[in-house]
Amino acid sequence: AAGVLWRLSRRGVRLYPYVSVQEGVEPVRLPALPSPLRAGWASAHDVDALDVLWNGHMGTTRQRILERFQQGNRCFAIWDGDSVPAATWCDLETLSHEPEQRLLAAHEVYLFDAYVSPAARGRNLAPIMRAACYEACRALGRTTMLSFTDYFNESSHRFKAKLGARKLALRVEVALFGRWSKTLTLRRYSPPR
């Protein structure tokens, strides 16, 4: 399916199916962060370590990291000494997912771009980090945590399922020749009973 979407995009038709998600809904049991790792908020002073982590992945350059801090975004990270093997971004002001953009309410936070370095994968760091990030966001009064997942990104769906996330809606952004776009809701998920 991803190949079909790519071929359509080459002809000027972009279809982007994605799922809107509310994270941190269900309580989960995860192992503790293994010693000597620690978790917490990073700052613009940590740009060198964050730049090494992302290394251009997902378009996250050193300049982009600095811009995110300047825009008021927060970065939650796992530290191993002076290095950062995993981090995720939080926007407290704007839901800035391209097909859906709006100001956030005072109790909301938009979570995006979670990343674990290839050398640190297989240690369950992504869900442990994200769960710790939920607690850090709650300490800031942000109790509703929103994110989006590409419909075909199975690893991201599994990652969020481990965290007790709840799917809100399946949507698709349709864009034609860079001149017109519309986002359609294909399905609204029922809340768990």
Side-chain angles (χ1 to χ4, degrees):
V4 171
L5 296 180
W6 179 80
R7 283 192 289 280
L8 284 170
S9 71
R10 302 267 306 177
R11 290 184 162 77
V13 178
R14 180 175 184 259
L15 298 175
Y16 169 49
Y18 64 93
V19 178
S20 58
V21 177
Q22 183 176 349
E23 297 189 40
V25 177
E26 301 292 329
V28 293
R29 289 179 182 258
L30 291 167
L33 189 62
S35 181
L37 303 181
R38 59 183 167 63
W41 294 113
S43 73
H45 298 292
D46 303 308
V47 69
D48 291 335
L50 295 171
D51 187 38
V52 169
L53 166 66
W54 266 287
N55 193 27
H57 183 73
M58 297 188 288
T60 307
T61 62
R62 179 185 182 83
Q63 183 60 37
R64 185 69 188 115
I65 292 166
L66 288 170
E67 286 170 4
R68 284 180 174 171
F69 282 121
Q70 290 163 358
Q71 292 164 355
N73 292 171
R74 304 283 304 260
C75 183
F76 192 83
I78 289 181
W79 297 88
D80 185 358
D82 292 333
S83 68
V84 176
T88 190
W89 287 97
C90 307
D91 194 326
L92 304 177
E93 296 174 15
T94 308
L95 193 150
S96 54
H97 184 245
E98 194 171 313
E100 296 185 38
Q101 298 190 15
R102 65 173 174 81
L103 294 177
L104 292 167
H107 66 280
E108 294 177 319
V109 60
Y110 169 48
L111 307 176
F112 64 102
D113 283 1
Y115 187 66
V116 176
S117 73
R121 291 181 188 162
R123 296 167 59 190
N124 217 25
L125 292 185
I128 292 170
M129 171 187 65
R130 198 73 150 212
C133 181
Y134 298 161
E135 293 309 310
C137 288
R138 287 185 185 110
L140 298 174
R142 306 299 173 133
T143 55
T144 301
M145 290 157 263
L146 304 170
S147 68
F148 298 92
T149 303
D150 183 307
Y151 180 75
F152 296 108
N153 188 338
E154 287 301 320
S155 64
S156 184
H157 287 292
R158 284 192 304 273
F159 156 66
K160 291 179 184 179
K162 276 186 187 179
L163 292 162
R166 180 166 67 93
K167 294 178 180 179
L168 300 175
L170 170 60
R171 296 191 170 104
V172 63
E173 180 193 27
V174 181
L176 300 175
F177 312 108
R179 294 187 204 131
W180 177 88
S181 71
K182 179 123 178 127
T183 301
L184 307 169
T185 300
L186 303 179
R187 175 181 178 187
R188 292 195 187 279
Y189 295 94
S190 302
R193 295 179 187 215

